[in-house]
Amino acid sequence: MDEKKYDVQSKELDTSPWTSEYLPELYVSSEKLNSQIARLIQILKEGKTLSIILGNIKSGKSYLINLLKNGLSEILFKYISKKKAHVISFTPNDIPEYSQSTFMQGIGQQVFGKSYSTKEQTKEQTVVTLKRYVKEKDCLIVLLIDDFQNENLKLISRDAAKLINSLKEHLACIITCNMKDISDCQDGMREGGFSNFSYSIRLPELTLGETYELIKKRMLYALNRSNIRVTDIFTERAIESAWINSKGNPWVLISILADAYEYSRKNESTTVDFNDVMTVINMYSRSPVFGYADNNDAFIIQQALNNFPQRERQVCEYLIQKDASAKELTHYLYGNLSSAEYRSKYMGTKSFLKRLKEKNVVMVKGKEGRLIIFGLTPKIKEWTTHFSEEKKSSINDEN
């Protein structure tokens, strides 16, 4: 830092450097990506466009689309020749059970206000109403579609493409898509009448230099400082190891850095070093360990576990891999103990397992008989409910 060396152990952060809030000051972007975003805005302002933001899981697609949403809402009117602009976003949370009618109703409500309802109109009548409105008001509607997957991604891509062909220069759309789902998006787009995307952005992995920039931006934010030296907080070898093991994926990288930082503090270290990084990487795997969950599910589950204290998280990590009794867990955590010590630790482990229910945690049996344990979020709850229904159906079929 300026003159004093930073001390991880003694410094209390003003705010979390690892926050997932969509803050522009925390976003790291290359010149190449910046020029692509500028080109994207030039294309969408003309209307009749369907563009895509591509990237691997947790590559920052939602972060970028949210920054675009806020930025376009504030300044789009400066770039377009039309008199008015509506920026409308959709995620699976907005349409839990996708249908074209619900999609159209959502657009109508955001354009005309919450009191507007398409329930008494057909989809065709809704399109006619929108066509009349955009021409009379001379406006541009920009749709931002984020985080849809599989069949729902195909359907919403199709319906967005159809609507663009109806509203023409008065509608533009940007869709985010995981690399593994690109064929679903393309199939839907073609069914809707688009042969090719108007523009594509492929989010690259962070370089080592961008990793240093990411750490610096986030630590400046957390410390409320104007200047720091990154290597006073994380050693060069620690940063390089975190970057290599994350493969440049920003959210995996942030997860490793957050774990290593907290681990270093608990061990009363003055800086985060290579051993801290490698310890948390080996202790808390970021790779998919669930044979029946995709990478995104595994990552979300891991992030939920990352919020637990270290000992509790160790128990959860173990239970993910293997169903275990309190006795086995106690031995795993503490090794061989005397009878008196064992009883105390054993009762503590049993007590913790009971308290999990109070920590908003769900336990379900996996397809391979393992016990899955994780923090409950809306997305996880939906996945768990779907999984439980499949299990019941399987049991009924067997009976």
Side-chain angles (χ1 to χ4, degrees), residues 335-375:
N336 294 323
L337 300 169
S338 66
S339 298
E341 287 179 311
Y342 170 78
R343 179 162 181 79
S344 173
K345 298 297 186 184
Y346 171 76
M347 295 306 294
T349 303
K350 285 192 69 175
S351 177
F352 164 68
L353 292 173
K354 289 181 180 179
R355 291 198 307 273
L356 284 175
K357 292 181 180 179
E358 301 170 7
K359 287 180 171 286
N360 201 24
V361 167
V362 170
M363 302 185 199
V364 293
K365 284 286 186 180
K367 289 183 179 178
E368 298 176 4
R370 294 175 178 170
L371 186 66
I372 308 305
I373 177 170
F374 45 78

Side-chain angles (χ1 to χ4, degrees), residues 235-270:
T235 66
E236 290 185 7
R237 195 177 177 200
I239 294 171
E240 290 173 6
S241 300
W243 173 68
I244 290 169
N245 281 274
S246 70
K247 299 180 180 178
N249 183 296
W251 294 109
V252 176
L253 176 64
I254 288 171
S255 171
I256 293 172
L257 295 172
D259 285 346
Y261 188 90
E262 288 304 312
Y263 182 82
S264 178
R265 287 195 60 182
K266 288 174 183 176
N267 285 280
E268 301 185 356
S269 302
T270 57

Side-chain angles (χ1 to χ4, degrees), residues 286-290 293-303:
R286 275 93 184 158
S287 62
V289 294
F290 311 96
D294 66 24
N295 292 350
N296 198 40
D297 293 326
F299 190 91
I300 292 172
I301 292 168
Q302 183 65 52
Q303 291 305 92

Side-chain angles (χ1 to χ4, degrees), residues 25-53:
E25 59 266 34
L26 299 186
Y27 190 70
V28 175
S29 180
S30 64
E31 284 301 317
K32 180 180 179 181
L33 183 56
N34 288 340
S35 64
Q36 288 185 90
I37 293 170
R39 177 61 179 155
L40 175 67
I41 293 173
Q42 289 296 316
I43 289 172
L44 70 85
K45 75 175 187 176
E46 302 299 329
K48 201 177 181 182
T49 64
L50 196 159
S51 302
I52 187 169
I53 297 175

Side-chain angles (χ1 to χ4, degrees), residues 106-253:
I107 296 173
Q109 287 177 342
Q110 294 195 54
V111 171
F112 303 117
K114 293 293 183 182
S115 59
Y116 177 81
S117 174
T118 61
K119 290 181 179 178
E120 296 179 359
Q121 299 186 44
T122 65
K123 295 186 289 290
E124 291 74 16
Q125 289 172 322
T126 301
V127 173
V128 170
T129 303
L130 282 170
K131 287 176 69 173
R132 184 185 307 118
Y133 172 82
V134 296
K135 288 181 179 179
E136 290 177 354
K137 301 295 183 181
D138 189 26
C139 71
L140 174 68
I141 297 174
V142 179
L143 294 180
L144 305 178
I145 297 172
D146 180 43
D147 204 27
F148 286 83
Q149 297 177 25
N150 304 323
E151 184 66 16
N152 284 347
L153 175 62
K154 178 180 177 180
L155 293 174
I156 199 168
S157 300
R158 178 202 66 190
D159 296 339
K162 286 181 178 179
L163 192 58
I164 291 170
N165 283 326
S166 295
L167 303 189
K168 302 189 184 305
E169 70 274 7
H170 295 283
L171 182 64
C173 176
I174 304 173
I175 298 176
T176 67
C177 181
N178 292 330
M179 298 299 293
K180 68 182 182 67
D181 293 325
I182 182 64
S183 60
D184 291 319
C185 187
Q186 289 175 321
D187 289 345
M189 171 192 72
R190 291 179 186 125
E191 285 185 21
F194 264 71
S195 57
N196 294 297
F197 293 111
S198 306
Y199 193 66
S200 299
I201 290 179
R202 164 72 163 86
L203 292 187
E205 290 73 23
L206 294 177
T207 65
L208 182 57
E210 289 164 351
T211 296
Y212 275 86
E213 184 183 352
L214 178 145
I215 296 173
K216 185 170 184 176
K217 281 190 173 188
R218 286 179 171 267
M219 294 308 299
L220 287 173
Y221 166 80
L223 296 167
N224 195 24
R225 294 287 300 272
S226 60
N227 188 35
I228 62 168
R229 190 165 61 193
V230 171
T231 51
D232 283 347
I233 306 172
F234 289 84
T235 66
E236 290 185 7
R237 195 177 177 200
I239 294 171
E240 290 173 6
S241 300
W243 173 68
I244 290 169
N245 281 274
S246 70
K247 299 180 180 178
N249 183 296
W251 294 109
V252 176
L253 176 64

